[in-house]
Amino acid sequence: MAADWEFTAGRCTKVFVDPVPAFVVPAVETTGFDEGTAEAKALELGHLQQIDKDPEAVLRSLDAFVEAFAGWTSRQMERADAFGDDKTVAVRIAGRSQDAVDRMREGIDLLRASGRQDLRTAFSLGMAAMRLQMRQASVNRGKPEEQVPEPQWRPFQLGFLLVSLASTVDERHKDRDLVDLIWFPTGGGKTEAYLGLAAIEVFRRRLAHRTAGGGTAVITRYTLRLLTSQQFQRAAALVCAMERLRATDDRAKGMVPFSIGLWVGNEVTPGTRAEAREALKRLQKAARPEEANEFQVESCPWCLTPLVPKLRSDKPQDYGMRLVGADVVLHCVDESCGFADELPLSVVDEVLYEEPPTILLATVDKFARLQFRPEAGRLLGLGTTFKQPSMIIQDELHLLSGPLGTTVAVFDAVIQLLLSRSGSSPKIVASTATIRASDEQVEGLYGREVALYPPSGLDDDRTFFSRPVGSEEGRLYVGLMPQSVSQPSAVIAAVTPMVEMPEALAARAPSATSRDAYWTLVMYHNSLRELGRTGTLVVDDVNGRLEPRAERLGFPLRPVRAGKVLELTSRRGAEELPNDLRALRVRADESSEAVDVVLSSNMLSVGIDIPRLALMLMVGQPKTTAEYIQATSRVGRGDTKGVVVTLFRSSRARDRSHFETFRGYHEALYRSVEPTSVTPWSLASRDRSLAGALVALLRQSFTALAPNDAAGRFDLGDERIREAVDRLVDSFLGYVTRADGLEAPETRSAVWSLLKDWDRRAAQARESDEPLYYQRTMKDQAALLKKFGQPGEGWPVGDSMRSVEPNVAVEVQEPQEEVHHGEDQA
């Protein structure tokens, strides 16, 4: 049983046990302003984009917005003074809001300054691009263009733009090295907030530096390929809006073209033009083109026309890709779309290196390629005529923890150092919905301090920008823990009534809900092993129970169709994922092709945004609360309230504990989030990552060392090389000291040990008059590096940040019985 209780007039009046505990976790809504007020006017993008034409009117509304926040902050500070013994803590909490107010005022002062017309123009163009994108998104959802409402920022989004503005556009600002972390519940609009800031910075660079402001301006990084592909569509829509402005707005005409690139690995996208042409040929020959798309762009980001229509066999152009010379160019197949000729998108690595995109979307582990591909440095502005990227966006920061976060942090020190060659460090912006001890994580990752935004208030569930909605408005969580029942039987018993829900609800209140509301059941598993068992149960055993229940309960029979059970795991190929996402968007009240059941692993927990999903069965409690929050937040994101049923195993102590404390756990869900850990400069991490990071740093810093056969040119006996390496290593160790001072001396020793070993091997190569390669292209070549598990001499390095251990082959042999001297022996 689970413990539960009731409160009446602020007092606990009843304590009881419950076999099926349930709790509604209140949804969080953004606070707004009274219509017609100056602060409400500040939220309108159409109003904000007038700042270069009517600065006084726009700045007045921005002042009113900040003053509303300042008034709330003052009241918080007054309350803090009355907290008695806890006054010090309360004042510190309220002080964070005051810091945010001061930074917002500084951003407005910068916009008001007489010599900053370029910044006002950049701000105006950024708002115009976001407004154009938001209006187009409404049109794509089916609204007639003349009925599209005026796009508005949510208050926390506008606040973030003002908080981060000064330190983003001013390379010498005192807060430049501060990591601004957006901490807001999933679905709250974090992506739009940092894209708005990125748009302002992109336009500012072009206005301030003209052609030199081209190249890659913003690097946006994600941890999962599915998340990256999903966010690529959203960021690409912004870039399309920028291109529309470049064609129609006099202020943007003549600017270097805007573009966006996807850099996620050659298992997902083509690496070269030749591979792209082969991928296009396979696409044209495929019986089902939608399942053979290796370009990761499922539809036109501007008008959502599918780029790979189902079962189309017309000319190659109808697939949304055409050959221009030797390049495969993505374009919209709708002739009325403004991007019918060409979309400003690139997914081929070779093209990205030659023509660095304005905004680069990448998986974090792709940056390990810097040690193998010197041309990848062009994405960091190295060896180009463009200014270096000035902004890094890290989405879902909480996922940079454990082994992945530890390895990423080592390479991040290299990336920050390379991006600082022009004399200024990049601005880092991050976002997350679930994090704890963020200051320690950010210090370990970047060697920087962090500023959480929005700043919290003295009440744990309220800030100036957000508040919980009513106690009955939110996501319903239900707990089940059957006793003395096998797990397969428990899964069957839980799934069966959940599959019946759409018909049951339709029978009870036909006009109140559509059949689509709870049609697609998402079954979340903590391991692929458990997921494999479930697939057979759903089609066979669940269907076996549905028929007699339908007859007994009087509901229409709705069987689970074998062809409509979708698996969403890492086992799905890169070309299959866009099609899977498209299938999940098909509504049951519009088509019989809607998915019945989704069998998912933790791939679902981040980045999937399908508003129609509202029903989930958690098969066992996830390992962390952060994963639990992220996973369950995938349902109930639209108009329909989400329902989450968690099936606990009574034989597992952790599951039993979560079930028994179901109410208390869900009442303070975010308080239970575990702190993450990164230890990039520990001994184990140095052994796996330091060599590759060091090669990336030196190879990208010295042109003479860049070619694959140039490792033998490294010579510490050359005074000029020695001085340059000394300076570079000292700067690198500065990041180590800021991140983890205790490990700095050991890291210094490890760095110089590697450099001396490199120097020794380079000297041997020069003496033998044989080149020393970085990586072997032929079997007998001498190489400085070798991939994990590769034989021969060399420093073991990973091909990506996820490859930090060699593979081990395991052969399972069945024991054979022998008879020896009359005794049975195995």
Side-chain angles (χ1 to χ4, degrees), residues 717-752:
D718 185 316
E719 188 173 338
R720 290 178 303 172
I721 292 179
R722 178 66 184 235
E723 288 179 359
V725 170
D726 277 338
R727 289 194 300 270
L728 208 56
V729 169
D730 286 345
S731 299
F732 178 73
L733 291 169
Y735 286 97
V736 180
T737 302
R738 291 193 292 274
D740 189 351
L742 293 176
E743 294 288 352
E746 293 294 329
T747 304
R748 177 180 291 275
S749 298
V751 166
W752 280 108

Side-chain angles (χ1 to χ4, degrees), residues 107-150:
I108 294 176
D109 289 343
L110 207 57
L111 289 169
R112 182 176 278 116
S114 57
R116 301 308 298 260
Q117 180 60 38
D118 274 4
L119 178 58
R120 288 191 287 275
T121 302
F123 188 89
S124 172
L125 286 169
M127 298 302 100
M130 291 299 298
R131 178 174 180 266
L132 198 57
Q133 178 205 16
M134 291 180 183
R135 286 184 61 85
Q136 183 64 29
S138 295
V139 171
N140 290 337
R141 287 194 292 267
K143 276 189 176 294
E145 194 160 352
E146 62 277 4
Q147 296 179 17
V148 172
E150 177 59 34

Side-chain angles (χ1 to χ4, degrees), residues 313-332:
S313 59
D314 296 341
K315 295 180 295 184
Q317 286 85 343
D318 284 336
Y319 293 116
M321 294 154 200
R322 59 186 172 86
L323 289 172
V324 177
D327 287 351
V328 175
V329 178
L330 301 173
H331 74 108
C332 185

